Each structure stands twice: as C-alpha cells, then as structure tokens.
C-alpha cells in the first residue's frame, strides 16, 4: 500500500491550498483517513481525521479553517485549508488505516509528507 500526497508548497497567509492524498496498492477496505503535521522542533500532531462513515474530528487549532473530506470510491482524502496562518507551516502527512485483504489485519500507513510553508 502506498499513500501519495500532493498540494503543498509556499502559500501566503490567508491563502487556501488543498492537499490531496491517494491510497494505492492492495486494498480491501480503507478505514480512518487523516492528516497530521509536524512543525520544526515539534512532535507530529493530528490535524483532522475522517472515518469511512464520515465522522470527522479536528484539532482545535484548525477548527473552522480546515475541512477534511474523502472519496471512498477513489480511496482519496483531501484537506481544504483556509485562512492559513504562519503557525500552520509544517510538513503535512496523510495517514490511512487499511485492510489489504479479507481476513488480514488493518495496517497503519503514512504518506511521505508534503511541505506547507505560510509566508506573512
């Protein structure tokens, strides 16, 4: 299983980039999908998570500014980021809990990360 993220880059404060992440490979079922981020010198933290049924949780720091969504048919997850702030600068990682085949355990999968840099 591979997760490929895209959509990062240099963005002005107040901007609205959209991150995308596609899961590929041997996939029977995709459960939770989410986005995490890691700023320089800080631990990786949860940004947002969405279950296969559509239940969503956000970090308090992004509530009202970021929107997570997914396309179950495409095994993709998205993060619409609005009203970006300098403190949103980080490497953003997508994550997905995936069951590769019937009867196999769910695996925890990470993308390589995409840099989002917010300039003021």
């Amino acid at each position: 299983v591979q997760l490929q993220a895209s959509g990062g880059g240099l963005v002005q404060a107040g901007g609205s980039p959209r991150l995308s992440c596609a899961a590929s490979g041997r996939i029977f079922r995709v459960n939770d999908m989410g986005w995490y981020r890691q700023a320089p010198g800080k631990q990786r933290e949860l940004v947002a998570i969405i279950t296969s049924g559509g239940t969503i949780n956000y970090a308090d720091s992004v509530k009202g500014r970021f929107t997570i969504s997914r396309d179950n048919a495409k095994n993709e997850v998205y993060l619409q980021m609005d009203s970006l702030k300098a403190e949103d600068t980080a490497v953003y990682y997508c994550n997905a809990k995936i069951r590769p085949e019937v009867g196999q355990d769910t695996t925890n999968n990470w993308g390589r990360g995409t840099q989002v840099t917010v300039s003021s």
Side-chain angles (χ1 to χ4, degrees):
V1 174
Q2 291 185 333
L3 297 181
Q4 181 66 48
S6 60
L10 179 63
V11 185
Q12 286 191 334
S16 299
R18 184 179 188 240
L19 304 183
S20 299
C21 178
S24 62
R26 186 172 295 177
I27 298 173
F28 169 69
R29 179 170 295 162
V30 181
N31 296 324
D32 295 355
M33 302 186 83
W35 291 93
Y36 291 71
R37 68 185 181 186
Q38 187 166 18
K42 295 188 177 181
Q43 291 187 331
R44 190 176 298 188
E45 63 176 3
L46 173 69
V47 175
I49 190 167
I50 181 169
T51 68
S52 57
T55 300
I56 292 172
N57 281 298
Y58 294 102
D60 288 343
S61 58
V62 306
K63 281 181 181 176
R65 299 189 299 120
F66 291 9
T67 303
I68 190 171
S69 61
R70 63 188 285 172
D71 185 328
N72 290 332
K74 295 181 178 179
N75 294 326
E76 294 183 357
V77 63
Y78 314 101
L79 186 69
Q80 177 64 47
M81 308 164 70
D82 296 321
S83 303
L84 277 183
K85 306 175 181 179
E87 51 263 43
D88 294 318
T89 294
V91 177
Y92 285 73
Y93 298 90
C94 64
N95 175 270
K97 310 293 194 298
I98 295 173
R99 188 182 301 277
E101 293 184 353
V102 176
Q104 288 190 341
D105 290 338
T106 298
T107 59
N108 190 31
N109 303 273
W110 292 93
R112 287 189 177 182
T114 183
Q115 177 71 46
V116 175
T117 302
V118 183
S119 64
S120 57

